[in-house]
Amino acid sequence: MRLVIARCSVDYAGRLTAHLPSAPRLILVKADGSVSIHADDRAYKPLNWMSPPCTLKEGTGDEAGVWTVINKGGEKLIITMEEILHDSSHELGVDPGLIKDGVEAHLQELLADRIETLGEGYTLIRREYMTAIGPVDILCRDAEGRTVAVEIKRRGEIDGVEQLTRYLELLNRDPLLAPVRGVFAAQEIKPQARVLATDRGIACQVLDYDGLRGIEDDKLRLF
């Protein structure tokens, strides 16, 4: 990974155009080819980015200090460096990935065994379906044969929705799977996460852990 802190301006030219005026920013260049520009706020979300596959060209001569990032669709991210404050590269190696806690792992196993919980006619393709950025918890098909990617959390928060969004972006590039829609499943889903998921066309499913395990609720019922 390459980390560059620089005073720069950024222009995006593609389906839309966008301009970031000159300011100090962090630029991340990852081993997968992606380039993202960050400010010192907005948590982890970049101001602008280019997802792989893309190529980065650093200008020389009269174009020195101008970085041009181009994706396969011909869209461009042009970064004009005015002053570089820091530039370093680090070899991170292969990431072992997120290790789920026992409840999440068990939820995944139970839901795969009872995939009809998501809806009548659902069928399992496989658990831990691998992508270039990690495994999707469950890949299945709905009653109409459409592909569905399911991300499972014990507590559903915004970062889980972001994770599923990245998986869907990759899966929808595969013509054998596309179109792929998402389901965000958790024992509890935070209101902010539900709003973000809905805005992105991702369905939300609250999971009953005991119900999946076949344990009856021992609370008194009025029916």
Side-chain angles (χ1 to χ4, degrees), residues 19-58:
H19 174 72
L20 294 172
S22 176
R25 298 186 175 95
L26 168 65
I27 303 164
L28 298 183
V29 183
K30 295 187 178 181
D32 63 2
S34 63
V35 178
S36 56
I37 296 97
H38 299 259
D40 199 12
D41 61 4
R42 297 165 58 95
Y44 53 85
K45 188 173 182 180
L47 296 166
N48 215 326
W49 68 94
M50 191 70 81
S51 301
C54 57
T55 57
L56 167 62
K57 179 182 177 182
E58 297 185 40

Side-chain angles (χ1 to χ4, degrees), residues 46-94:
L47 296 166
N48 215 326
W49 68 94
M50 191 70 81
S51 301
C54 57
T55 57
L56 167 62
K57 179 182 177 182
E58 297 185 40
T60 58
D62 293 340
E63 295 295 319
V66 178
W67 290 15
T68 304
V69 188
I70 307 175
N71 67 13
K72 64 180 181 179
E75 297 170 308
K76 294 182 180 180
L77 191 65
I78 301 169
I79 308 168
T80 304
M81 306 288 188
E82 298 172 12
E83 180 185 8
I84 294 180
L85 307 173
H86 174 86
D87 188 346
S88 64
S89 297
H90 308 270
E91 185 62 50
L92 302 185
V94 178

Side-chain angles (χ1 to χ4, degrees), residues 125 129 139-142 144-149 167-182:
I125 296 176
Y129 186 90
L139 199 68
C140 58
R141 295 194 187 280
D142 63 17
E144 285 74 42
R146 296 171 297 190
T147 311
V148 181
Y167 287 145
L168 290 170
E169 181 181 351
L170 285 174
L171 292 168
N172 273 300
R173 296 178 188 174
D174 186 340
L176 298 178
L177 297 175
V180 185
R181 64 182 184 88

